């Protein structure tokens, strides 16, 4: 199953870390996007995640979408 994260701040990062540690999925099964991709580049490399070019790309690739954005 491919998981897509729209937004990748502290909360989403913690969820991904927990998912990987628990063995729920592999890093290549997680696709993330963030409004400022340069801010998450290190975390993407650290965990081995896929970085999408847009929210639309995440939705097209993922089977499960997790909203990792602050409520506006």
């Amino acid at each position: 199953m491919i998981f897509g994260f729209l937004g990748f701040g502290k909360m989403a990062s913690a969820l991904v870390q927990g998912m990987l540690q628990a063995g729920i999925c592999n890093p290549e099964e997680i696709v993330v996007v963030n409004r400022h991709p340069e801010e998450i580049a290190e975390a993407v490399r650290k965990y081995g995640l896929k970085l999408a070019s847009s929210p639309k790309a995440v939705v097209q690739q993922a089977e499960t979408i997790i909203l990792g954005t602050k409520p506006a």
Side-chain angles (χ1 to χ4, degrees):
M1 176 175 288
I2 306 297
F3 295 91
F5 283 81
L6 298 175
F8 196 69
K10 291 178 183 177
M11 186 87 78
S13 178
L15 283 170
V16 165
Q17 186 177 5
M19 290 169 67
L20 295 174
Q21 286 177 349
I24 292 171
C25 61
N26 296 317
E28 59 273 5
E29 297 173 312
I30 299 175
V31 182
V32 300
V33 70
N34 198 50
R35 188 173 15 172
H36 302 287
E38 66 279 0
E39 293 179 6
I40 66 167
E42 186 173 329
V44 168
R45 278 191 304 273
K46 176 182 174 183
Y47 296 120
L49 310 175
K50 293 181 183 178
L51 179 62
S53 58
S54 69
K56 183 178 179 179
V58 171
V59 172
Q60 290 173 335
Q61 295 177 52
E63 298 168 80
T64 301
I65 306 295
I66 295 99
L67 298 177
T69 59
K70 294 179 183 177

